[in-house]
Amino acid sequence: TTAEYSIDRLLSSITEFMTEIADELKIVLVTAIERVCKKFPKKYESLLNFLSMALREEGGYTYKNKIVDCMLILMKQKDMNRAKEFGLDSLC
């Protein structure tokens, strides 16, 4: 189980090899990040930064759609108005 304090370190590690893997594996990683979003919504800033960066990288429609879905899930978390603002800024 990942502790909340290690999320930033894990996202940094993932960032290093995201450009080198196929979209299918990227989708698996974004799906895992989606679970992290649900489990640790207070880490929205780090998670949205990572997803926003991933959205700017190369990738197919399915991969990009999964990223946006994950961002929307995080933005819809209860009592997370700041995450909504942060997410909308990332999407615009």
Side-chain angles (χ1 to χ4, degrees):
T1 316
T2 303
E4 190 170 0
Y5 65 86
S6 64
I7 290 173
D8 293 323
R9 183 178 47 82
L10 289 171
L11 290 175
S12 177
S13 296
I14 293 169
T15 301
E16 293 176 16
F17 66 86
M18 283 291 281
T19 58
E20 300 173 18
I21 60 175
D23 277 4
E24 293 80 17
L25 292 174
K26 291 178 185 178
I27 291 169
V28 171
L29 283 171
V30 173
T31 301
I33 290 170
E34 185 178 310
R35 286 189 222 120
V36 172
C37 290
K38 292 175 183 176
K39 189 171 182 178
F40 302 109
K42 292 182 181 174
K43 295 299 288 183
Y44 72 87
E45 195 166 344
S46 298
L47 294 164
L48 285 173
N49 273 331
F50 173 82
L51 293 168
S52 176
M53 183 203 65
L55 196 56
R56 288 186 217 110
E57 299 293 325
E58 292 212 16
Y61 172 78
T62 305
Y63 169 58
K64 301 288 185 160
N65 192 45
K66 186 67 178 174
I67 292 170
V68 172
D69 287 346
C70 187
M71 292 175 84
L72 291 174
I73 285 169
L74 190 54
M75 291 165 52
K76 291 178 185 177
Q77 295 288 331
K78 188 176 180 179
D79 300 325
M80 296 298 290
N81 289 331
R82 181 66 185 121
K84 288 177 190 173
E85 293 173 26
F86 197 86
L88 288 173
D89 284 344
S90 297
L91 290 170
C92 291

